[in-house]
Amino acid sequence: MSSFADNAAERPHGRAQRHGGSAIVGSVSTSYDAIVIGLGGIGSAAAYRLAQRGARVLGLEQFELGHDRGASQDESRIIRLSYHRREYVELAKDAFAAWHEVEAASGDRILTITGGLDLAPPDAPEAIEDYAAAMTAAGVAFEWLDTAAIARRWPQWRLDDGTRGLLQEAAGIADPSVGNPAHQRLAREHGAELLERVKVTGIREEAAGELTVETADGRRFETGAVVLATDAWTNDLLGPLGHALPLRVTREQVTWFDATDRAAFEPDRFPIWIWLGEPSFYGFPAHRGRGPKVGQDIGGRETTADGRSFEPDPDGLARVAGFLEQHLPTALGPTRTKTCLYTLTPDRDFVLDCVPGMPGLVVALGAAHGYKFAALFGRILADLALGDRRAKTPGEGLFSCDRPILRAASTANLVADR
Ligand SMILES: Cc1cc2nc3c(=O)[nH]c(=O)nc-3n(C[C@H](O)[C@H](O)[C@H](O)COP(=O)(O)OP(=O)(O)OC[C@H]3O[C@@H](n4cnc5c(N)ncnc54)[C@H](O)[C@@H]3O)c2cc1C
């Protein structure tokens, strides 16, 4: 695959070169090969991969780096090969490889492998067989476990008869508190300029392949490519361009518990897990000195990125505590609850694509399960931003900006708004 660094003469968006140097405002040059907006998990990875290719990169973050108002904070996100579609399983294999590259480059340990257990109660609405079929198709080994086998291996679980488990050994924790700073540090080491507390207020297309990024403090930056990694804030910038996506933002929360037998919840004894029931819950072993963490998947109310509250929802906490009481009775005792934003597409598939008609504007949305892929997304986004059309992601059209469900929902919203 021809990369930016491989053949600089073919740079599709080489504005810095075409301009024969860059104007300087303060210590910041105003012309870049690529600008990344949003330096959470995904934007930080994109900044690194772009800079690694030799591109002149500017990253802009509206808050301080590592702030907790977005989606990529705290110390644990599930990473797993077990998914309902083969395309995701294949993508997850590449994600593991991409994280390992970042670990090697940074010297940091970002992943902790614990194994992963998908649990389907007898009345589970989500077909666990789809997970098994997708892994089989992708050549990933896993093990079926019945209720008795699960209870023998992990007596922490109290499960109804008929509950089935899928154990996949390669799963575990991706740690944003290590992964995000690692990506940011590597980006800077490769020459990227990352600016904190700079809010982007607009993106303009001056001509084909010539974009201007405007900031709240009155600066303007020129570039050939923009990577928009702004998750819950995405439509603030896409809307004025006429390309708003039908996204739903919900305020979710995770809770850490104080287990009576902490050793039984250490990563070597307790795998990450997903409960494929209704409601659906997920959880982690103890990690970085804090006891098992549990959340409900889409258990929160709809909100907006700027209008959300940070107060935990007591009803949500009661649902999680009730689940633990029933199924993990020794993990009781909440010690801390933290809120966080989900940004959902209608089909919950990602967006990794150029905006239709604006090939220099690339959008990334993790659809509330994207952290595990951040290191890989960085690579894919760099390919897209630097014009490598062979960078098509698995599943033709699966992650496109104008797939039918996104177009249909956008049209429905427009009609409803009138
Ligand atoms: C509770 C919870 C649990 C989750 N669990 C998992 C899991 O187990 N596994 C998994 O893979 N994924 C999980 N996810 C999803 C995953 O965390 C997200 O998909 C991913 O972190 C999104 O990363 P991001 O960089 O796009 O978003 P963010 O981290 O929110 O980053 C977006 C950044 O853009 C900045 N920004 C926005 N607008 C502007 C602007 N105008 N100018 C400058 N900067 C701007 C924001 O300040 C923010 O820093 C979970 C999410 C939540 C909330």
PDB file of all heavy atoms in Angstrom, residues 37-38 40-42 60-63 67 70-72 77-78 198-200 229-231 233 237 282 340-342 368-372, ligand 1:
ATOM      1  N   ILE A  37      -9.580  17.230  14.266  1.00  0.00           N
ATOM      2  CA  ILE A  37     -10.411  17.966  15.226  1.00  0.00           C
ATOM      3  C   ILE A  37     -10.943  16.971  16.250  1.00  0.00           C
ATOM      4  O   ILE A  37     -11.627  16.012  15.898  1.00  0.00           O
ATOM      5  CB  ILE A  37     -11.574  18.696  14.519  1.00  0.00           C
ATOM      6  CG1 ILE A  37     -11.034  19.567  13.378  1.00  0.00           C
ATOM      7  CG2 ILE A  37     -12.356  19.537  15.533  1.00  0.00           C
ATOM      8  CD1 ILE A  37     -12.122  20.261  12.569  1.00  0.00           C
ATOM      9  N   GLY A  38     -10.620  17.215  17.523  1.00  0.00           N
ATOM     10  CA  GLY A  38     -11.033  16.306  18.591  1.00  0.00           C
ATOM     11  C   GLY A  38      -9.900  15.355  18.926  1.00  0.00           C
ATOM     12  O   GLY A  38      -9.494  14.543  18.086  1.00  0.00           O
ATOM     13  N   GLY A  40      -9.745  12.985  21.499  1.00  0.00           N
ATOM     14  CA  GLY A  40     -10.098  11.884  22.391  1.00  0.00           C
ATOM     15  C   GLY A  40      -9.347  10.646  21.928  1.00  0.00           C
ATOM     16  O   GLY A  40      -8.249  10.744  21.353  1.00  0.00           O
ATOM     17  N   GLY A  41      -9.935   9.477  22.131  1.00  0.00           N
ATOM     18  CA  GLY A  41      -9.243   8.235  21.767  1.00  0.00           C
ATOM     19  C   GLY A  41      -8.961   8.125  20.286  1.00  0.00           C
ATOM     20  O   GLY A  41      -7.854   7.750  19.880  1.00  0.00           O
ATOM     21  N   ILE A  42      -9.947   8.452  19.467  1.00  0.00           N
ATOM     22  CA  ILE A  42      -9.806   8.206  18.028  1.00  0.00           C
ATOM     23  C   ILE A  42      -8.978   9.306  17.361  1.00  0.00           C
ATOM     24  O   ILE A  42      -8.077   9.032  16.559  1.00  0.00           O
ATOM     25  CB  ILE A  42     -11.203   8.054  17.385  1.00  0.00           C
ATOM     26  CG1 ILE A  42     -11.868   6.777  17.938  1.00  0.00           C
ATOM     27  CG2 ILE A  42     -11.109   8.007  15.862  1.00  0.00           C
ATOM     28  CD1 ILE A  42     -13.310   6.563  17.507  1.00  0.00           C
ATOM     29  N   LEU A  60      -6.482  19.650  17.191  1.00  0.00           N
ATOM     30  CA  LEU A  60      -7.149  20.685  17.985  1.00  0.00           C
ATOM     31  C   LEU A  60      -8.150  20.038  18.938  1.00  0.00           C
ATOM     32  O   LEU A  60      -9.018  19.263  18.505  1.00  0.00           O
ATOM     33  CB  LEU A  60      -7.885  21.664  17.056  1.00  0.00           C
ATOM     34  CG  LEU A  60      -6.996  22.428  16.062  1.00  0.00           C
ATOM     35  CD1 LEU A  60      -7.852  23.217  15.076  1.00  0.00           C
ATOM     36  CD2 LEU A  60      -6.028  23.344  16.802  1.00  0.00           C
ATOM     37  N   GLU A  61      -8.033  20.359  20.211  1.00  0.00           N
ATOM     38  CA  GLU A  61      -8.939  19.814  21.234  1.00  0.00           C
ATOM     39  C   GLU A  61      -9.570  20.977  21.997  1.00  0.00           C
ATOM     40  O   GLU A  61      -8.858  21.857  22.483  1.00  0.00           O
ATOM     41  CB  GLU A  61      -8.162  18.882  22.167  1.00  0.00           C
ATOM     42  CG  GLU A  61      -8.893  18.488  23.440  1.00  0.00           C
ATOM     43  CD  GLU A  61     -10.284  17.882  23.208  1.00  0.00           C
ATOM     44  OE1 GLU A  61     -10.404  16.954  22.400  1.00  0.00           O
ATOM     45  OE2 GLU A  61     -11.240  18.379  23.847  1.00  0.00           O
ATOM     46  N   GLN A  62     -10.892  20.955  22.107  1.00  0.00           N
ATOM     47  CA  GLN A  62     -11.581  22.105  22.716  1.00  0.00           C
ATOM     48  C   GLN A  62     -11.348  22.215  24.230  1.00  0.00           C
ATOM     49  O   GLN A  62     -11.423  23.299  24.791  1.00  0.00           O
ATOM     50  CB  GLN A  62     -13.082  22.033  22.434  1.00  0.00           C
ATOM     51  CG  GLN A  62     -13.782  20.834  23.047  1.00  0.00           C
ATOM     52  CD  GLN A  62     -15.278  20.799  22.763  1.00  0.00           C
ATOM     53  OE1 GLN A  62     -15.869  21.821  22.431  1.00  0.00           O
ATOM     54  NE2 GLN A  62     -15.886  19.623  22.877  1.00  0.00           N
ATOM     55  N   PHE A  63     -11.087  21.086  24.895  1.00  0.00           N
ATOM     56  CA  PHE A  63     -10.816  21.100  26.342  1.00  0.00           C
ATOM     57  C   PHE A  63      -9.349  20.738  26.567  1.00  0.00           C
ATOM     58  O   PHE A  63      -8.575  20.674  25.611  1.00  0.00           O
ATOM     59  CB  PHE A  63     -11.743  20.126  27.069  1.00  0.00           C
ATOM     60  CG  PHE A  63     -13.214  20.402  26.846  1.00  0.00           C
ATOM     61  CD1 PHE A  63     -14.049  19.422  26.328  1.00  0.00           C
ATOM     62  CD2 PHE A  63     -13.770  21.645  27.153  1.00  0.00           C
ATOM     63  CE1 PHE A  63     -15.411  19.663  26.125  1.00  0.00           C
ATOM     64  CE2 PHE A  63     -15.125  21.910  26.949  1.00  0.00           C
ATOM     65  CZ  PHE A  63     -15.944  20.910  26.429  1.00  0.00           C
ATOM     66  N   HIS A  67      -9.430  15.313  29.399  1.00  0.00           N
ATOM     67  CA  HIS A  67     -10.646  15.750  30.104  1.00  0.00           C
ATOM     68  C   HIS A  67     -11.668  14.603  30.139  1.00  0.00           C
ATOM     69  O   HIS A  67     -11.537  13.631  29.375  1.00  0.00           O
ATOM     70  CB  HIS A  67     -11.261  16.962  29.383  1.00  0.00           C
ATOM     71  CG  HIS A  67     -11.869  16.599  28.062  1.00  0.00           C
ATOM     72  ND1 HIS A  67     -13.163  16.156  27.935  1.00  0.00           N
ATOM     73  CD2 HIS A  67     -11.348  16.558  26.814  1.00  0.00           C
ATOM     74  CE1 HIS A  67     -13.418  15.885  26.676  1.00  0.00           C
ATOM     75  NE2 HIS A  67     -12.340  16.117  25.970  1.00  0.00           N
ATOM     76  N   GLY A  70     -16.001  13.615  27.391  1.00  0.00           N
ATOM     77  CA  GLY A  70     -16.288  12.881  26.154  1.00  0.00           C
ATOM     78  C   GLY A  70     -16.560  11.412  26.410  1.00  0.00           C
ATOM     79  O   GLY A  70     -17.235  11.048  27.373  1.00  0.00           O
ATOM     80  N   ALA A  71     -16.010  10.554  25.532  1.00  0.00           N
ATOM     81  CA  ALA A  71     -16.327   9.125  25.588  1.00  0.00           C
ATOM     82  C   ALA A  71     -15.130   8.252  25.928  1.00  0.00           C
ATOM     83  O   ALA A  71     -15.303   7.097  26.277  1.00  0.00           O
ATOM     84  CB  ALA A  71     -16.903   8.675  24.247  1.00  0.00           C
ATOM     85  N   SER A  72     -13.917   8.785  25.797  1.00  0.00           N
ATOM     86  CA  SER A  72     -12.747   7.885  25.829  1.00  0.00           C
ATOM     87  C   SER A  72     -11.992   7.896  27.136  1.00  0.00           C
ATOM     88  O   SER A  72     -10.803   7.595  27.141  1.00  0.00           O
ATOM     89  CB  SER A  72     -11.762   8.281  24.726  1.00  0.00           C
ATOM     90  OG  SER A  72     -12.384   8.379  23.494  1.00  0.00           O
ATOM     91  N   ARG A  77     -11.779  -0.107  28.663  1.00  0.00           N
ATOM     92  CA  ARG A  77     -12.744  -0.367  27.613  1.00  0.00           C
ATOM     93  C   ARG A  77     -12.551  -1.824  27.191  1.00  0.00           C
ATOM     94  O   ARG A  77     -11.413  -2.291  27.104  1.00  0.00           O
ATOM     95  CB  ARG A  77     -12.522   0.538  26.387  1.00  0.00           C
ATOM     96  CG  ARG A  77     -12.819   2.016  26.644  1.00  0.00           C
ATOM     97  CD  ARG A  77     -14.328   2.231  26.748  1.00  0.00           C
ATOM     98  NE  ARG A  77     -14.689   3.619  26.965  1.00  0.00           N
ATOM     99  CZ  ARG A  77     -14.863   4.191  28.149  1.00  0.00           C
ATOM    100  NH1 ARG A  77     -14.684   3.480  29.251  1.00  0.00           N
ATOM    101  NH2 ARG A  77     -15.232   5.436  28.250  1.00  0.00           N
ATOM    102  N   ILE A  78     -13.655  -2.501  26.905  1.00  0.00           N
ATOM    103  CA  ILE A  78     -13.546  -3.897  26.482  1.00  0.00           C
ATOM    104  C   ILE A  78     -12.931  -3.965  25.087  1.00  0.00           C
ATOM    105  O   ILE A  78     -13.289  -3.182  24.204  1.00  0.00           O
ATOM    106  CB  ILE A  78     -14.940  -4.566  26.473  1.00  0.00           C
ATOM    107  CG1 ILE A  78     -15.424  -4.797  27.907  1.00  0.00           C
ATOM    108  CG2 ILE A  78     -14.928  -5.884  25.688  1.00  0.00           C
ATOM    109  CD1 ILE A  78     -16.839  -5.353  28.013  1.00  0.00           C
ATOM    110  N   VAL A 198      -8.646  24.672  22.295  1.00  0.00           N
ATOM    111  CA  VAL A 198      -8.908  25.409  21.051  1.00  0.00           C
ATOM    112  C   VAL A 198     -10.136  24.768  20.416  1.00  0.00           C
ATOM    113  O   VAL A 198     -10.081  23.641  19.922  1.00  0.00           O
ATOM    114  CB  VAL A 198      -7.709  25.351  20.081  1.00  0.00           C
ATOM    115  CG1 VAL A 198      -8.039  26.117  18.797  1.00  0.00           C
ATOM    116  CG2 VAL A 198      -6.462  25.935  20.732  1.00  0.00           C
ATOM    117  N   LYS A 199     -11.234  25.506  20.465  1.00  0.00           N
ATOM    118  CA  LYS A 199     -12.494  24.951  19.956  1.00  0.00           C
ATOM    119  C   LYS A 199     -12.663  25.336  18.486  1.00  0.00           C
ATOM    120  O   LYS A 199     -12.547  26.517  18.129  1.00  0.00           O
ATOM    121  CB  LYS A 199     -13.650  25.514  20.774  1.00  0.00           C
ATOM    122  CG  LYS A 199     -15.022  24.971  20.375  1.00  0.00           C
ATOM    123  CD  LYS A 199     -16.088  25.629  21.242  1.00  0.00           C
ATOM    124  CE  LYS A 199     -17.483  25.359  20.724  1.00  0.00           C
ATOM    125  NZ  LYS A 199     -18.039  24.118  21.194  1.00  0.00           N
ATOM    126  N   VAL A 200     -12.934  24.349  17.671  1.00  0.00           N
ATOM    127  CA  VAL A 200     -13.192  24.618  16.255  1.00  0.00           C
ATOM    128  C   VAL A 200     -14.657  25.038  16.112  1.00  0.00           C
ATOM    129  O   VAL A 200     -15.562  24.379  16.640  1.00  0.00           O
ATOM    130  CB  VAL A 200     -12.885  23.368  15.399  1.00  0.00           C
ATOM    131  CG1 VAL A 200     -13.328  23.582  13.958  1.00  0.00           C
ATOM    132  CG2 VAL A 200     -11.403  23.045  15.471  1.00  0.00           C
ATOM    133  N   ALA A 229     -13.060  13.970  14.484  1.00  0.00           N
ATOM    134  CA  ALA A 229     -13.164  12.894  15.491  1.00  0.00           C
ATOM    135  C   ALA A 229     -13.790  13.494  16.738  1.00  0.00           C
ATOM    136  O   ALA A 229     -13.209  13.464  17.824  1.00  0.00           O
ATOM    137  CB  ALA A 229     -11.792  12.302  15.775  1.00  0.00           C
ATOM    138  N   THR A 230     -14.969  14.045  16.567  1.00  0.00           N
ATOM    139  CA  THR A 230     -15.587  14.857  17.621  1.00  0.00           C
ATOM    140  C   THR A 230     -16.782  14.163  18.273  1.00  0.00           C
ATOM    141  O   THR A 230     -17.498  14.788  19.066  1.00  0.00           O
ATOM    142  CB  THR A 230     -16.019  16.216  17.041  1.00  0.00           C
ATOM    143  OG1 THR A 230     -16.667  15.997  15.789  1.00  0.00           O
ATOM    144  CG2 THR A 230     -14.831  17.130  16.820  1.00  0.00           C
ATOM    145  N   ASP A 231     -17.028  12.934  17.943  1.00  0.00           N
ATOM    146  CA  ASP A 231     -18.041  12.079  18.573  1.00  0.00           C
ATOM    147  C   ASP A 231     -19.344  12.826  18.891  1.00  0.00           C
ATOM    148  O   ASP A 231     -20.055  13.222  17.965  1.00  0.00           O
ATOM    149  CB  ASP A 231     -17.452  11.396  19.807  1.00  0.00           C
ATOM    150  CG  ASP A 231     -18.076  10.013  20.051  1.00  0.00           C
ATOM    151  OD1 ASP A 231     -18.324   9.302  19.048  1.00  0.00           O
ATOM    152  OD2 ASP A 231     -18.318   9.635  21.205  1.00  0.00           O
ATOM    153  N   TRP A 233     -20.078  15.708  19.554  1.00  0.00           N
ATOM    154  CA  TRP A 233     -20.167  17.085  19.033  1.00  0.00           C
ATOM    155  C   TRP A 233     -20.184  17.114  17.499  1.00  0.00           C
ATOM    156  O   TRP A 233     -20.135  18.181  16.902  1.00  0.00           O
ATOM    157  CB  TRP A 233     -18.976  17.902  19.520  1.00  0.00           C
ATOM    158  CG  TRP A 233     -18.942  18.229  20.976  1.00  0.00           C
ATOM    159  CD1 TRP A 233     -19.380  19.390  21.555  1.00  0.00           C
ATOM    160  CD2 TRP A 233     -18.444  17.428  22.046  1.00  0.00           C
ATOM    161  NE1 TRP A 233     -19.182  19.337  22.915  1.00  0.00           N
ATOM    162  CE2 TRP A 233     -18.613  18.152  23.252  1.00  0.00           C
ATOM    163  CE3 TRP A 233     -17.869  16.154  22.125  1.00  0.00           C
ATOM    164  CZ2 TRP A 233     -18.225  17.653  24.501  1.00  0.00           C
ATOM    165  CZ3 TRP A 233     -17.488  15.662  23.368  1.00  0.00           C
ATOM    166  CH2 TRP A 233     -17.664  16.397  24.527  1.00  0.00           C
ATOM    167  N   LEU A 237     -20.426  20.560  13.790  1.00  0.00           N
ATOM    168  CA  LEU A 237     -19.583  20.975  12.660  1.00  0.00           C
ATOM    169  C   LEU A 237     -20.105  20.452  11.319  1.00  0.00           C
ATOM    170  O   LEU A 237     -19.955  21.120  10.295  1.00  0.00           O
ATOM    171  CB  LEU A 237     -18.135  20.524  12.894  1.00  0.00           C
ATOM    172  CG  LEU A 237     -17.466  21.261  14.071  1.00  0.00           C
ATOM    173  CD1 LEU A 237     -16.143  20.625  14.449  1.00  0.00           C
ATOM    174  CD2 LEU A 237     -17.256  22.741  13.744  1.00  0.00           C
ATOM    175  N   TYR A 282     -22.452  -5.158  31.006  1.00  0.00           N
ATOM    176  CA  TYR A 282     -21.089  -5.597  30.690  1.00  0.00           C
ATOM    177  C   TYR A 282     -20.205  -5.256  31.879  1.00  0.00           C
ATOM    178  O   TYR A 282     -20.561  -4.399  32.698  1.00  0.00           O
ATOM    179  CB  TYR A 282     -20.564  -4.921  29.413  1.00  0.00           C
ATOM    180  CG  TYR A 282     -20.524  -3.418  29.520  1.00  0.00           C
ATOM    181  CD1 TYR A 282     -19.386  -2.770  30.003  1.00  0.00           C
ATOM    182  CD2 TYR A 282     -21.632  -2.651  29.194  1.00  0.00           C
ATOM    183  CE1 TYR A 282     -19.352  -1.388  30.127  1.00  0.00           C
ATOM    184  CE2 TYR A 282     -21.618  -1.271  29.328  1.00  0.00           C
ATOM    185  CZ  TYR A 282     -20.474  -0.646  29.794  1.00  0.00           C
ATOM    186  OH  TYR A 282     -20.449   0.722  29.947  1.00  0.00           O
ATOM    187  N   CYS A 340     -20.723   9.216  31.225  1.00  0.00           N
ATOM    188  CA  CYS A 340     -19.957   9.187  29.975  1.00  0.00           C
ATOM    189  C   CYS A 340     -20.964   9.247  28.826  1.00  0.00           C
ATOM    190  O   CYS A 340     -22.130   8.904  29.023  1.00  0.00           O
ATOM    191  CB  CYS A 340     -19.180   7.869  29.952  1.00  0.00           C
ATOM    192  SG  CYS A 340     -18.177   7.585  28.508  1.00  0.00           S
ATOM    193  N   LEU A 341     -20.544   9.703  27.652  1.00  0.00           N
ATOM    194  CA  LEU A 341     -21.497   9.863  26.539  1.00  0.00           C
ATOM    195  C   LEU A 341     -21.384   8.733  25.516  1.00  0.00           C
ATOM    196  O   LEU A 341     -20.288   8.393  25.079  1.00  0.00           O
ATOM    197  CB  LEU A 341     -21.250  11.201  25.831  1.00  0.00           C
ATOM    198  CG  LEU A 341     -21.510  12.449  26.668  1.00  0.00           C
ATOM    199  CD1 LEU A 341     -21.130  13.700  25.875  1.00  0.00           C
ATOM    200  CD2 LEU A 341     -22.966  12.521  27.118  1.00  0.00           C
ATOM    201  N   TYR A 342     -22.538   8.200  25.124  1.00  0.00           N
ATOM    202  CA  TYR A 342     -22.629   7.309  23.966  1.00  0.00           C
ATOM    203  C   TYR A 342     -23.082   8.171  22.783  1.00  0.00           C
ATOM    204  O   TYR A 342     -24.030   8.967  22.930  1.00  0.00           O
ATOM    205  CB  TYR A 342     -23.740   6.275  24.173  1.00  0.00           C
ATOM    206  CG  TYR A 342     -23.347   4.925  24.730  1.00  0.00           C
ATOM    207  CD1 TYR A 342     -22.143   4.697  25.380  1.00  0.00           C
ATOM    208  CD2 TYR A 342     -24.232   3.847  24.604  1.00  0.00           C
ATOM    209  CE1 TYR A 342     -21.836   3.441  25.883  1.00  0.00           C
ATOM    210  CE2 TYR A 342     -23.927   2.595  25.104  1.00  0.00           C
ATOM    211  CZ  TYR A 342     -22.732   2.395  25.750  1.00  0.00           C
ATOM    212  OH  TYR A 342     -22.428   1.162  26.253  1.00  0.00           O
ATOM    213  N   ALA A 368     -20.290   4.173  19.927  1.00  0.00           N
ATOM    214  CA  ALA A 368     -20.376   3.695  21.310  1.00  0.00           C
ATOM    215  C   ALA A 368     -19.833   2.281  21.525  1.00  0.00           C
ATOM    216  O   ALA A 368     -20.156   1.620  22.498  1.00  0.00           O
ATOM    217  CB  ALA A 368     -21.807   3.811  21.848  1.00  0.00           C
ATOM    218  N   HIS A 369     -19.011   1.806  20.562  1.00  0.00           N
ATOM    219  CA  HIS A 369     -18.226   0.590  20.840  1.00  0.00           C
ATOM    220  C   HIS A 369     -16.876   0.667  20.125  1.00  0.00           C
ATOM    221  O   HIS A 369     -16.263  -0.353  19.799  1.00  0.00           O
ATOM    222  CB  HIS A 369     -18.988  -0.689  20.463  1.00  0.00           C
ATOM    223  CG  HIS A 369     -19.395  -0.796  19.013  1.00  0.00           C
ATOM    224  ND1 HIS A 369     -18.931  -1.786  18.182  1.00  0.00           N
ATOM    225  CD2 HIS A 369     -20.206  -0.029  18.261  1.00  0.00           C
ATOM    226  CE1 HIS A 369     -19.466  -1.628  16.978  1.00  0.00           C
ATOM    227  NE2 HIS A 369     -20.244  -0.570  16.995  1.00  0.00           N
ATOM    228  N   GLY A 370     -16.405   1.893  19.913  1.00  0.00           N
ATOM    229  CA  GLY A 370     -15.260   2.078  19.040  1.00  0.00           C
ATOM    230  C   GLY A 370     -13.903   2.190  19.705  1.00  0.00           C
ATOM    231  O   GLY A 370     -12.887   2.209  19.006  1.00  0.00           O
ATOM    232  N   TYR A 371     -13.838   2.252  21.053  1.00  0.00           N
ATOM    233  CA  TYR A 371     -12.508   2.487  21.615  1.00  0.00           C
ATOM    234  C   TYR A 371     -11.539   1.369  21.270  1.00  0.00           C
ATOM    235  O   TYR A 371     -10.376   1.618  20.950  1.00  0.00           O
ATOM    236  CB  TYR A 371     -12.526   2.715  23.136  1.00  0.00           C
ATOM    237  CG  TYR A 371     -11.156   3.214  23.544  1.00  0.00           C
ATOM    238  CD1 TYR A 371     -10.826   4.550  23.393  1.00  0.00           C
ATOM    239  CD2 TYR A 371     -10.152   2.327  23.947  1.00  0.00           C
ATOM    240  CE1 TYR A 371      -9.543   5.007  23.655  1.00  0.00           C
ATOM    241  CE2 TYR A 371      -8.867   2.776  24.208  1.00  0.00           C
ATOM    242  CZ  TYR A 371      -8.576   4.116  24.067  1.00  0.00           C
ATOM    243  OH  TYR A 371      -7.297   4.574  24.291  1.00  0.00           O
ATOM    244  N   LYS A 372     -12.026   0.143  21.327  1.00  0.00           N
ATOM    245  CA  LYS A 372     -11.130  -0.998  21.078  1.00  0.00           C
ATOM    246  C   LYS A 372     -10.458  -0.900  19.711  1.00  0.00           C
ATOM    247  O   LYS A 372      -9.427  -1.496  19.471  1.00  0.00           O
ATOM    248  CB  LYS A 372     -11.905  -2.319  21.212  1.00  0.00           C
ATOM    249  CG  LYS A 372     -12.957  -2.526  20.130  1.00  0.00           C
ATOM    250  CD  LYS A 372     -13.750  -3.821  20.300  1.00  0.00           C
ATOM    251  CE  LYS A 372     -14.696  -3.805  21.444  1.00  0.00           C
ATOM    252  NZ  LYS A 372     -15.772  -2.776  21.383  1.00  0.00           N
TER     253      LYS A 372
HETATM  254  C1  LIG B   1     -19.650   4.299  29.386  1.00  0.00           C
HETATM  255  C2  LIG B   1     -19.000   3.909  28.090  1.00  0.00           C
HETATM  256  C3  LIG B   1     -18.524   2.631  27.937  1.00  0.00           C
HETATM  257  C4  LIG B   1     -17.936   2.240  26.741  1.00  0.00           C
HETATM  258  N1  LIG B   1     -17.424   0.982  26.648  1.00  0.00           N
HETATM  259  C5  LIG B   1     -16.733   0.633  25.552  1.00  0.00           C
HETATM  260  C6  LIG B   1     -16.056  -0.610  25.521  1.00  0.00           C
HETATM  261  O1  LIG B   1     -16.087  -1.386  26.487  1.00  0.00           O
HETATM  262  N2  LIG B   1     -15.337  -0.919  24.401  1.00  0.00           N
HETATM  263  C7  LIG B   1     -15.258  -0.059  23.339  1.00  0.00           C
HETATM  264  O2  LIG B   1     -14.599  -0.402  22.358  1.00  0.00           O
HETATM  265  N3  LIG B   1     -15.886   1.140  23.349  1.00  0.00           N
HETATM  266  C8  LIG B   1     -16.613   1.498  24.427  1.00  0.00           C
HETATM  267  N4  LIG B   1     -17.238   2.702  24.478  1.00  0.00           N
HETATM  268  C9  LIG B   1     -17.232   3.563  23.289  1.00  0.00           C
HETATM  269  C10 LIG B   1     -15.927   4.267  23.106  1.00  0.00           C
HETATM  270  O3  LIG B   1     -15.450   4.722  24.361  1.00  0.00           O
HETATM  271  C11 LIG B   1     -16.128   5.430  22.115  1.00  0.00           C
HETATM  272  O4  LIG B   1     -16.647   4.928  20.893  1.00  0.00           O
HETATM  273  C12 LIG B   1     -14.801   6.113  21.802  1.00  0.00           C
HETATM  274  O5  LIG B   1     -14.087   6.374  22.987  1.00  0.00           O
HETATM  275  C13 LIG B   1     -15.068   7.432  21.059  1.00  0.00           C
HETATM  276  O6  LIG B   1     -13.835   8.105  20.905  1.00  0.00           O
HETATM  277  P1  LIG B   1     -13.786   9.545  20.259  1.00  0.00           P
HETATM  278  O7  LIG B   1     -12.362   9.937  20.252  1.00  0.00           O
HETATM  279  O8  LIG B   1     -14.549   9.541  18.991  1.00  0.00           O
HETATM  280  O9  LIG B   1     -14.666  10.434  21.257  1.00  0.00           O
HETATM  281  P2  LIG B   1     -14.220  11.386  22.475  1.00  0.00           P
HETATM  282  O10 LIG B   1     -13.285  10.674  23.362  1.00  0.00           O
HETATM  283  O11 LIG B   1     -15.464  11.936  23.070  1.00  0.00           O
HETATM  284  O12 LIG B   1     -13.397  12.520  21.776  1.00  0.00           O
HETATM  285  C14 LIG B   1     -13.996  13.532  21.018  1.00  0.00           C
HETATM  286  C15 LIG B   1     -13.199  14.775  21.299  1.00  0.00           C
HETATM  287  O13 LIG B   1     -13.550  15.805  20.402  1.00  0.00           O
HETATM  288  C16 LIG B   1     -13.442  17.030  21.102  1.00  0.00           C
HETATM  289  N5  LIG B   1     -14.189  18.034  20.374  1.00  0.00           N
HETATM  290  C17 LIG B   1     -15.497  17.995  20.074  1.00  0.00           C
HETATM  291  N6  LIG B   1     -15.861  19.096  19.375  1.00  0.00           N
HETATM  292  C18 LIG B   1     -14.743  19.830  19.223  1.00  0.00           C
HETATM  293  C19 LIG B   1     -14.490  21.071  18.594  1.00  0.00           C
HETATM  294  N7  LIG B   1     -15.461  21.765  17.986  1.00  0.00           N
HETATM  295  N8  LIG B   1     -13.234  21.572  18.616  1.00  0.00           N
HETATM  296  C20 LIG B   1     -12.225  20.875  19.216  1.00  0.00           C
HETATM  297  N9  LIG B   1     -12.434  19.690  19.856  1.00  0.00           N
HETATM  298  C21 LIG B   1     -13.669  19.171  19.839  1.00  0.00           C
HETATM  299  C22 LIG B   1     -14.055  16.683  22.452  1.00  0.00           C
HETATM  300  O14 LIG B   1     -13.753  17.644  23.440  1.00  0.00           O
HETATM  301  C23 LIG B   1     -13.466  15.323  22.699  1.00  0.00           C
HETATM  302  O15 LIG B   1     -12.237  15.404  23.405  1.00  0.00           O
HETATM  303  C24 LIG B   1     -17.846   3.143  25.663  1.00  0.00           C
HETATM  304  C25 LIG B   1     -18.318   4.443  25.810  1.00  0.00           C
HETATM  305  C26 LIG B   1     -18.877   4.840  27.016  1.00  0.00           C
HETATM  306  C27 LIG B   1     -19.360   6.247  27.154  1.00  0.00           C
END
